[in-house]
Amino acid sequence: MDIGLQERTVIVTGASGGVGRHIATAFAAEGANVVLTYRSGRDEAQKVADEIGDRALVVRYDQADPGAAEALVAAAVEATGRVDVLVNNAVAWGDMVPFDTVPDEEWTALVRGNVEGAIRLTRAVTPLMRAAGWGRLVHLSSSLVTDGVAGGEYYTAAKAALHGFSRSVAFSLGRDGDLLSNVALLGLTRTATNTHVVEQVGKIYEERSPLGRLIDAAEVASAVVWLGSGANTAVNGQVIGVTGGA
């Protein structure tokens, strides 16, 4: 089934591991050119690119760097001539400690990096999508925004901010063509990089889930690809839970 991604260009931030690598390979499997970004895991990102083949481009991207968004988009355009889909997956985590003990410079950097990084990159790709009359924005978030967790105050604050941003962006872009903006809200997901977390709390989430199990990164990737594809024409400005029902 053709879902309208052949020859389109997709930027997936944070694609060197975890959910990101599965999202990147899933878009490539649909015929898209994929720009994979990493901050420090160059070798891991290159492994993903090698798996994809000629359709992949690896670019270093640090969302905390104000100039990184424009440079990333310029690299994508130079290589493929376009940007059709943006998946804001890159994230910075804080230490799980009492929130009132975190120094100002640390929590402000965490919030600003996660929020401003996604906003800057969205701003950078928007003119290309407006000009083409087609585009998909998918911002990855976490069920911790609604569930809450001690020690996650600044991470969840940043992710919650993206919910409001995406909703308003949907209204801003909706009359300019087939342009959609959504949030994919992830729960605890089984990946190759979070086995320690799954071992600690996975059983709790499995018991809460209607499926009786955790979903894995490939299942999340399928949902994200659909949201970012031409098959999706009506889901817009929404926060879509990709949690298995937990």
Side-chain angles (χ1 to χ4, degrees), residues 19 22-23 26 186 189-190 211 213-226 242-244:
V19 171
H22 288 270
I23 293 172
L186 277 54
T189 302
R190 194 181 298 276
L211 298 178
R213 65 174 178 83
L214 298 179
I215 62 174
D216 62 32
E219 291 173 299
V220 168
S222 295
V224 171
V225 168
W226 185 84
V242 189
T243 66

Side-chain angles (χ1 to χ4, degrees), residues 12-155:
V12 181
T13 64
S16 62
V19 171
R21 70 178 297 138
H22 288 270
I23 293 172
T25 56
F27 271 108
E30 296 296 336
N33 301 307
V34 184
V35 182
L36 307 92
T37 84
Y38 71 95
R39 186 176 65 87
S40 57
R42 165 74 194 191
D43 291 344
E44 291 304 312
Q46 189 58 55
K47 289 178 183 177
V48 182
D50 290 344
E51 180 181 341
I52 292 172
D54 292 341
R55 291 187 176 279
L57 173 70
V58 175
V59 180
R60 186 180 184 277
Y61 167 72
D62 181 354
Q63 65 179 3
D65 177 0
E70 293 290 347
L72 170 57
V73 173
V77 172
E78 181 179 1
T80 70
R82 57 197 297 167
V83 175
D84 302 286
V85 182
L86 169 62
V87 180
N88 272 317
N89 173 64
V91 65
W93 299 88
D95 295 327
M96 300 294 280
V97 298
F99 74 96
D100 51 328
T101 67
V102 181
D104 277 359
E105 62 272 16
E106 291 185 17
W107 75 260
T108 53
L110 179 68
V111 173
R112 291 191 63 179
N114 282 317
V115 176
E116 294 180 12
I119 290 175
R120 285 195 192 96
L121 192 47
T122 301
R123 284 171 52 89
V125 301
T126 291
L128 297 170
M129 293 180 178
R130 285 189 194 273
W134 197 97
R136 298 289 185 270
L137 303 166
V138 186
H139 314 280
L140 267 63
S141 184
S142 168
S143 61
L144 294 178
V145 170
T146 53
D147 293 347
V149 63
E153 291 81 1
Y154 303 117
Y155 166 76

Side-chain angles (χ1 to χ4, degrees), residues 193-213:
T193 58
N194 72 348
T195 54
H196 62 294
V197 177
V198 171
E199 289 174 358
Q200 291 172 1
V201 298
K203 189 66 175 177
I204 297 172
Y205 283 85
E206 287 175 350
E207 291 174 351
R208 293 176 182 174
S209 173
L211 298 178
R213 65 174 178 83

